[in-house]
Amino acid sequence: HQMGVIVGGSDNGTLTIWDADKILKSDSDGALISQTQQHVGAVRTIDCNPFQPSLIASGASESEVFIWDINNPTSPMSPGNKLHPLEDITCVAWNRQVQHILGSTSPSGRSVVWDLRKNEPIIQVSDSSSRIHCKAIAWHPDIATQMLTASEDDRNPIIQLWDLRYATAPMRTLERHK
Protein backbone atom coordinates (compact mmCIF):
# COMPACT_ATOMS: atom_id res chain seq x y z
CA HIS A 1 0.00 0.00 0.00
CA GLN A 2 2.13 2.77 -1.41
CA MET A 3 0.32 5.69 0.28
CA GLY A 4 -0.57 3.74 3.42
CA VAL A 5 -3.95 2.75 4.77
CA ILE A 6 -6.87 4.46 6.44
CA VAL A 7 -8.38 2.62 9.38
CA GLY A 8 -11.76 3.34 10.92
CA GLY A 9 -13.83 1.84 13.69
CA SER A 10 -17.60 2.02 13.94
CA ASP A 11 -20.39 1.83 16.49
CA ASN A 12 -21.28 -1.74 15.52
CA GLY A 13 -17.80 -3.06 16.37
CA THR A 14 -16.50 -3.14 12.81
CA LEU A 15 -12.92 -2.25 11.90
CA THR A 16 -12.57 -1.12 8.28
CA ILE A 17 -9.29 -0.73 6.38
CA TRP A 18 -8.99 1.18 3.10
CA ASP A 19 -6.11 1.61 0.64
CA ALA A 20 -5.29 5.35 0.69
CA ASP A 21 -3.67 5.25 -2.76
CA LYS A 22 -6.84 3.88 -4.36
CA ILE A 23 -8.99 6.47 -2.61
CA LEU A 24 -6.74 9.26 -3.90
CA LYS A 25 -7.04 7.81 -7.41
CA SER A 26 -10.87 7.77 -7.04
CA ASP A 27 -10.98 3.97 -7.21
CA SER A 28 -13.61 3.69 -4.50
CA ASP A 29 -14.62 0.15 -5.53
CA GLY A 30 -11.10 -1.22 -5.08
CA ALA A 31 -10.20 0.84 -2.00
CA LEU A 32 -11.70 -1.47 0.61
CA ILE A 33 -9.05 -3.85 1.98
CA SER A 34 -11.00 -5.35 4.86
CA GLN A 35 -14.14 -4.94 6.91
CA THR A 36 -14.31 -7.17 9.98
CA GLN A 37 -16.75 -7.11 12.89
CA GLN A 38 -14.98 -8.60 15.90
CA HIS A 39 -15.71 -6.15 18.72
CA VAL A 40 -18.88 -6.63 20.77
CA GLY A 41 -19.58 -2.89 20.98
CA ALA A 42 -18.47 0.40 19.50
CA VAL A 43 -14.82 0.81 18.49
CA ARG A 44 -13.70 3.86 20.49
CA THR A 45 -9.97 4.06 19.77
CA ILE A 46 -7.34 3.00 17.24
CA ASP A 47 -3.55 3.36 17.17
CA CYS A 48 -0.94 2.19 14.65
CA ASN A 49 2.29 0.62 15.84
CA PRO A 50 5.18 3.04 15.08
CA PHE A 51 7.64 0.15 14.58
CA GLN A 52 5.44 -2.26 12.62
CA PRO A 53 2.99 -0.24 10.50
CA SER A 54 0.99 -3.37 9.70
CA LEU A 55 -0.05 -3.71 13.39
CA ILE A 56 -3.06 -1.77 14.63
CA ALA A 57 -4.50 -1.74 18.14
CA SER A 58 -8.18 -1.07 18.78
CA GLY A 59 -10.22 -0.63 21.92
CA ALA A 60 -13.97 -0.94 22.41
CA SER A 61 -16.74 -1.68 24.87
CA GLU A 62 -16.56 -4.47 27.45
CA SER A 63 -12.80 -4.05 28.02
CA GLU A 64 -11.99 -5.35 24.54
CA VAL A 65 -8.53 -4.64 23.15
CA PHE A 66 -7.49 -6.24 19.87
CA ILE A 67 -4.27 -6.25 17.86
CA TRP A 68 -4.84 -6.44 14.10
CA ASP A 69 -2.36 -7.30 11.37
CA ILE A 70 -3.54 -5.61 8.17
CA ASN A 71 -1.93 -8.47 6.24
CA ASN A 72 -4.40 -10.87 7.95
CA PRO A 73 -7.21 -8.65 9.29
CA THR A 74 -9.79 -11.39 9.83
CA SER A 75 -8.01 -12.84 12.89
CA PRO A 76 -7.15 -10.19 15.48
CA MET A 77 -5.40 -11.23 18.67
CA SER A 78 -6.08 -10.11 22.20
CA PRO A 79 -3.13 -8.90 24.30
CA GLY A 80 -4.56 -10.87 27.25
CA ASN A 81 -7.76 -11.70 29.08
CA LYS A 82 -10.41 -9.00 29.49
CA LEU A 83 -10.04 -7.11 32.73
CA HIS A 84 -12.96 -6.88 35.15
CA PRO A 85 -15.10 -4.98 35.79
CA LEU A 86 -15.87 -4.68 32.08
CA GLU A 87 -15.83 -1.10 30.81
CA ASP A 88 -15.21 0.97 27.71
CA ILE A 89 -11.64 1.32 26.48
CA THR A 90 -11.34 5.03 25.67
CA CYS A 91 -7.79 5.06 24.34
CA VAL A 92 -5.00 2.71 23.25
CA ALA A 93 -1.43 3.83 22.58
CA TRP A 94 1.68 1.99 21.48
CA ASN A 95 4.86 2.69 23.44
CA ARG A 96 7.20 4.87 21.35
CA GLN A 97 10.36 3.06 22.50
CA VAL A 98 9.35 -0.59 22.99
CA GLN A 99 7.46 -2.11 20.07
CA HIS A 100 5.63 -4.86 22.00
CA ILE A 101 4.22 -2.60 24.75
CA LEU A 102 0.70 -1.16 24.50
CA GLY A 103 -1.21 1.02 26.94
CA SER A 104 -4.99 1.24 27.33
CA THR A 105 -7.21 3.36 29.54
CA SER A 106 -10.84 3.55 30.58
CA PRO A 107 -13.24 6.00 32.26
CA SER A 108 -12.76 4.47 35.73
CA GLY A 109 -9.24 5.88 35.72
CA ARG A 110 -7.63 2.46 35.30
CA SER A 111 -4.78 2.34 32.81
CA VAL A 112 -3.19 -0.93 31.79
CA VAL A 113 0.17 -1.67 30.21
CA TRP A 114 0.12 -4.81 28.06
CA ASP A 115 3.18 -6.85 27.05
CA LEU A 116 2.38 -8.55 23.76
CA ARG A 117 5.24 -11.03 24.21
CA LYS A 118 3.64 -12.32 27.40
CA ASN A 119 0.01 -11.82 26.31
CA GLU A 120 -0.92 -10.27 29.62
CA PRO A 121 -1.05 -6.97 31.47
CA ILE A 122 2.25 -6.23 33.18
CA ILE A 123 1.16 -3.21 35.20
CA GLN A 124 -2.02 -1.34 36.10
CA VAL A 125 -2.19 2.18 37.45
CA SER A 126 -5.17 4.18 38.65
CA ASP A 127 -5.93 7.43 40.35
CA SER A 128 -6.33 6.49 44.01
CA SER A 129 -8.58 9.49 44.65
CA SER A 130 -10.86 8.50 41.73
CA ARG A 131 -10.94 12.10 40.48
CA ILE A 132 -9.89 11.29 36.95
CA HIS A 133 -12.15 9.73 34.33
CA CYS A 134 -9.55 8.80 31.73
CA LYS A 135 -10.09 9.77 28.14
CA ALA A 136 -6.54 9.53 26.78
CA ILE A 137 -3.19 7.88 27.32
CA ALA A 138 0.10 8.86 25.67
CA TRP A 139 3.67 7.62 25.99
CA HIS A 140 6.71 9.84 26.48
CA PRO A 141 8.51 9.89 23.11
CA ASP A 142 11.97 9.33 24.65
CA ILE A 143 11.46 7.66 28.04
CA ALA A 144 9.90 4.20 27.67
CA THR A 145 8.68 4.01 31.28
CA GLN A 146 6.73 7.28 31.32
CA MET A 147 3.17 7.87 30.19
CA LEU A 148 0.44 10.46 30.59
CA THR A 149 -3.21 9.91 31.35
CA ALA A 150 -5.72 12.68 30.76
CA SER A 151 -9.26 13.24 32.02
CA GLU A 152 -12.34 13.79 29.90
CA ASP A 153 -13.72 16.59 32.09
CA ASP A 154 -13.11 19.94 30.36
CA ARG A 155 -14.35 21.87 33.42
CA ASN A 156 -11.74 20.28 35.67
CA PRO A 157 -8.99 18.89 33.42
CA ILE A 158 -6.42 16.62 35.00
CA ILE A 159 -3.27 15.21 33.43
CA GLN A 160 -1.20 12.68 35.34
CA LEU A 161 2.41 11.80 34.50
CA TRP A 162 3.29 8.26 35.52
CA ASP A 163 6.71 6.64 35.77
CA LEU A 164 6.03 2.92 35.65
CA ARG A 165 9.11 2.13 37.72
CA TYR A 166 7.31 3.82 40.65
CA ALA A 167 3.67 3.23 39.75
CA THR A 168 2.05 3.56 43.17
CA ALA A 169 1.17 7.21 42.47
CA PRO A 170 1.57 9.65 39.58
CA MET A 171 4.94 11.38 39.36
CA ARG A 172 3.14 14.66 38.72
CA THR A 173 -0.45 15.84 38.43
CA LEU A 174 -1.43 18.89 36.39
CA GLU A 175 -4.83 20.38 37.12
CA ARG A 176 -6.89 23.05 35.38
CA HIS A 177 -4.14 23.57 32.76
CA LYS A 178 -1.67 24.93 35.31
Side-chain angles (χ1 to χ4, degrees), residues 30-167:
L32 182 64
I33 296 171
S34 171
Q35 192 166 37
T36 308
Q37 185 176 358
Q38 292 285 340
H39 285 291
V40 173
V43 177
R44 304 192 179 287
T45 178
I46 297 169
D47 193 30
C48 296
N49 188 305
F51 299 97
Q52 294 178 277
S54 66
L55 293 184
I56 299 164
S58 63
S61 306
E62 298 190 19
S63 297
E64 284 187 333
V65 176
F66 286 141
I67 310 301
W68 306 77
D69 183 342
I70 63 170
N71 299 313
N72 183 17
T74 58
S75 301
M77 67 163 266
S78 175
N81 294 327
K82 289 184 184 181
L83 299 178
H84 292 273
L86 298 179
E87 57 185 328
D88 292 343
I89 300 298
T90 54
C91 190
V92 291
W94 291 100
N95 188 293
R96 300 300 181 212
Q97 296 293 315
V98 185
Q99 66 183 358
H100 59 272
I101 299 294
L102 178 74
S104 66
T105 195
S106 49
S108 69
R110 177 178 63 188
S111 297
V112 179
V113 178
W114 303 89
D115 185 334
L116 273 58
R117 291 183 310 185
K118 296 180 179 181
N119 270 17
E120 65 183 17
I122 53 171
I123 197 162
Q124 293 184 50
V125 299
S126 60
D127 178 30
S128 59
S129 64
S130 298
R131 297 179 306 152
I132 187 169
H133 296 279
C134 286
K135 182 67 174 179
I137 186 170
W139 290 95
H140 192 291
D142 300 318
I143 304 172
T145 59
Q146 290 184 3
M147 67 180 188
L148 291 171
T149 57
S151 69
E152 63 184 1
D153 185 356
D154 289 337
R155 291 171 289 156
N156 186 28
I158 299 173
I159 297 173
Q160 294 179 329
L161 173 62
W162 293 87
D163 188 323
L164 300 178
R165 296 170 295 184
Y166 317 102

